[in-house]
Structures are given as C-alpha cells and as structure tokens.
Amino acid sequence: MLIDNHGRPINYLRLAVTDRCNLRCFYCMPEEGLNWLSRTELLSYEELLRISSMLVGMGVNKIRITGGEPFVRRDLMELLSSLSALNGLDELTITTNGVLTAPYVCELKRLGIRSVNLSLDTLDAARFFAITRRDEFAAVMHTLQELLKHGIDVKINTVVMQGKNTQDILPLVELTRELPVSVRFIEEMPFNGDGHQFSGIAWDYVRIMDEIRQRHPQLKKAADEPFSTSYNYNIPGHKGNVGVIAAYSRTFCGTCNRIRITPTGILKTCLYDDGVLNVRDQLRMGDSDEQIKQVLLQALNNRVVDGHEAERRAKSAASIHQSMAAIGG
Ligand code: SAM
C-alpha cells in the first residue's frame, strides 16, 4: 500500500487523457477554448497504460479517467479496455460531460465500469447553453437515461454559481425523488483557465445545504464512504441522494487518498499544487519502471498537508488560474 508522509493511504489515481473539451463552461475555460496541446505533448496510450500499470502495482486500486472531455480523445474505448484488464485495479470510472457518451454506455457496462460521474449544472436547456456555450442539453440527458437503463451508478456533479444556477439546486434535488442518482453540489474553484479574477464564492457547502434543508427539513445525514470528498444526505422517500463537495473550502484534505496525472503527464499530489513531477519526461528519457517508481515514491513522501498549503507553496499564481480541463478535473 502507498502511504504518504502524513500517513494517508494513496489508492486513487485521476488520469486526464486530454485537455480538449466539446463544451466551453465559462467557469472552466474561455469561450475561444484553450491553447490546445499537440498530440506529442499528450501522454500516448502506451504511456498512460505503463504509468497506470506501475501505480496499480504500487497500490493504486481505483482509476478515474477524466480530462478535458475523455470521449473527444480518439480510441478512448481501447484505453479503457486495456485499463480494465489491469490486475489489481478494482475500480475504473469516468467523469464525462455526457455529450458524446450515450453510444458507448453498453460497452462501458461490458468493461465492468460500475459508476460514472456526469457533469450537469442545470436542468434548464437555456441555462445549460448560457453556462456551457453549447446547445447539448438533450445529448447529456440522453446519456443520463442510457446510464440508468444499463444499471450504471450515476453521480451528477453540479458546480453551484451565484447568479448562474442557484435556482437549479432544488430541481436537481427533486430529480433524486424518482431517479436513483446521487446529485453532488460542488463549490466553484478558481480553476477557470483565463486568469480572470476569482474573488471567492458566495455559495459554500454550508449555504448550499441550508438551501436544501429549508425545503427538505427531514434531510438525514448518510454514512460517507471512506475517503469521500462529499458529505452525503438521504431524503426520506427519495430513490437517490444528495451531497455537497467543499472543493473550495477544502474540508476533506485530511483523508485525501488521490493523486492526479495531467494530460501532459504532470503528477499532482494535490489539486491546488502546481505539479510535483513530470512523469512523461521520465518515461521518455528511457527510465526503467524501478527508476520511475522511486521518483513517484519520493513525490508521495513530500506531499503537502492540505490544499491551502499547496496554494501557498505553488510557485506561480498562474497555476491556480489554470483550466480544470488542463489539470484534469
Ligand atoms: N469533461 C468532463 C466533465 O465535464 O465531467 C471531465 C473534466 S471536467 C474539467 C471535470 C469536472 O470539473 C466537471 O464536473 C466540471 O464541472 C468541474 N469543474 C471545472 N472547472 C471547475 C471550477 N472552476 N470549479 C469547480 N468545478 C469545476
């Protein structure tokens, strides 16, 4: 098992396979998109597989594929198929915006993918367009139906933003009455990709939960899974449940079991750090698996205690304004 310098087990890798995205969520990237990475800057599938296999050998047993939008990378299913066969990997999951996902759901199920995180900030088509700058609401809802039809657990991730979608909180909670989905409300973070001023949040997890509790006073705290980043709640009579992720308040760092690899192969041991190791360079320098494992261990033995320390230590303010798509959300 991998243990960091603060005694926390590390068993969860979030692997970003691209920075490209087919939506332009205003809180994630500018309208014109990012300065997209070239193919050679991205980790190749062989490299993604090699580093995953090494980390699984070291104790990682859960991998989440993310991006950018994973489904815009060609032949994603091939990578998923190879990853799903890794010995020692107990859970392979994906975070997707759902625009291109529906046709692949049957295959995801066949590969043993049991749960998918679907990003959806509103149930209103016009607001969806205003937030994402793309007219794809129907495609995302179709993906939601397909996932449920195939018995895949769905967590809906909703970023809560003052003046943009707070009127969607209660309708999204209402969705859990008839659908067996977990709706998780996430605090907005500064990773917006265009360096525009981020002056904190008006809706933190306490305010979000107050809003829900006012409508549903019978809300009951549910048991949170170990290492959960969300505080979860049940509402009597609802098939699904709700949760809140204090991504900006950072209340869950004490049990953080996750590391990230960005699309260019930068290892982040905290979402708020500016990268601690370039794994792609190690791979391309011709290092052996043993050599790479050693540098990975060194990085994990130097982990910050929490996201606040990571933010203070980050060498450039630019890293905090990077797009989530470039980090791997
Ligand atoms: N394209 C995939 C998707 O939309 O789920 C995966 C990548 S996306 C960057 C992952 C998650 O990060 C999404 O749920 C998105 O809403 C969230 N995200 C992006 N920018 C964010 C920000 N500034 N604050 C909070 N969450 C953010």
Side-chain angles (χ1 to χ4, degrees):
M1 188 191 276
L2 280 170
I3 306 279
D4 75 7
N5 47 320
H6 302 285
R8 296 170 294 202
I10 309 277
N11 66 331
Y12 179 10
L13 167 66
R14 296 172 73 100
L15 190 59
V17 296
T18 181
D19 60 334
R20 292 179 194 237
C21 192
N22 43 4
L23 297 182
R24 290 288 179 278
C25 302
F26 78 92
Y27 56 82
C28 185
M29 63 175 74
E31 185 155 17
E32 65 276 14
L34 304 173
N35 210 350
W36 305 121
L37 296 164
S38 67
R39 189 80 192 210
T40 52
E41 288 173 285
L42 294 178
L43 286 175
S44 69
Y45 278 167
E46 292 68 29
E47 290 166 334
L48 288 164
L49 201 55
R50 184 165 164 218
I51 189 69
S52 300
S53 165
M54 269 185 250
L55 282 163
V56 169
M58 292 167 78
V60 164
N61 65 358
K62 173 175 176 178
I63 297 181
R64 174 175 301 283
I65 298 299
T66 181
E69 171 52 32
F71 286 91
V72 303
R73 183 147 177 187
R74 211 173 303 144
D75 302 330
L76 173 74
M77 297 310 287
E78 251 175 62
L79 175 72
L80 293 179
S81 175
S82 306
L83 288 174
S84 69
L86 282 182
N87 228 339
L89 184 66
D90 299 329
E91 198 179 341
L92 178 63
T93 62
I94 307 181
T95 296
T96 176
N97 62 29
V99 173
L100 298 172
T101 318
Y104 300 101
V105 170
C106 195
E107 183 66 3
L108 296 180
K109 177 83 181 177
R110 205 188 59 75
L111 290 177
I113 292 179
R114 296 187 299 269
S115 86
V116 165
N117 285 5
L118 183 67
S119 303
L120 179 64
D121 298 325
T122 173
L123 289 174
D124 177 90
R127 273 197 297 282
F128 182 94
F129 183 77
I131 292 170
T132 66
R133 303 166 171 136
R134 295 290 184 272
D135 189 12
E136 298 286 4
F137 178 67
V140 180
M141 293 309 280
H142 180 48
T143 290
L144 173 59
Q145 284 158 7
E146 285 297 298
L147 289 166
L148 293 175
K149 195 170 96 192
H150 286 83
I152 294 182
D153 287 346
V154 180
K155 288 183 179 145
I156 293 178
N157 286 340
T158 303
V159 182
V160 178
M161 295 153 294
Q162 170 78 14
K164 298 288 181 185
N165 68 342
T166 53
Q167 62 276 63
D168 285 291
I169 296 175
L170 294 178
L172 278 157
V173 170
E174 198 50 36
L175 201 65
T176 68
R177 188 184 292 278
E178 294 304 332
L179 298 183
V181 294
S182 297
V183 176
R184 288 126 39 104
F185 298 98
I186 305 178
E187 291 176 353
E188 187 180 356
M189 292 180 279
F191 307 108
N192 52 38
D194 63 2
H196 81 235
Q197 235 12 58
F198 179 84
S199 48
I201 50 173
W203 286 75
D204 67 358
Y205 69 105
V206 176
R207 185 167 178 197
I208 296 168
M209 286 318 303
D210 280 351
E211 172 86 357
I212 300 173
R213 204 174 280 107
Q214 267 185 28
R215 174 64 62 87
H216 297 282
Q218 70 283 37
L219 195 76
K220 281 204 174 62
K221 183 78 192 71
D224 298 325
E225 282 172 20
F227 313 113
S228 172
T229 51
S230 55
Y231 302 118
N232 301 296
Y233 299 82
N234 292 320
I235 301 176
H238 285 218
K239 295 191 173 118
N241 53 61
V242 297
V244 69
I245 301 182
Y248 184 66
S249 305
R250 287 161 265 183
T251 52
F252 46 69
C253 301
T255 57
C256 180
N257 63 339
R258 55 188 64 193
I259 52 177
R260 291 165 198 266
I261 294 184
T262 72
T264 55
I266 293 172
L267 175 75
K268 286 167 84 79
T269 59
C270 170
L271 174 59
Y272 284 82
D273 74 30
D274 58 2
V276 295
L277 171 71
N278 190 321
V279 181
R280 185 192 63 193
D281 290 350
Q282 303 289 137
L283 290 167
R284 293 187 187 173
M285 274 181 330
D287 284 6
S288 67
D289 284 10
E290 269 323 303
Q291 287 170 314
I292 297 175
K293 282 181 186 175
Q294 281 312 314
V295 286
L296 286 169
L297 284 176
Q298 267 169 27
L300 296 179
N301 267 318
N302 257 309
R303 211 166 167 230
V304 289
V305 70
D306 61 26
H308 298 286
E309 184 189 347
E311 193 176 347
R312 279 193 305 274
R313 272 211 217 168
K315 288 177 202 75
S316 67
S319 62
I320 210 81
H321 296 300
Q322 251 193 322
S323 163
M324 270 301 253
I327 297 171

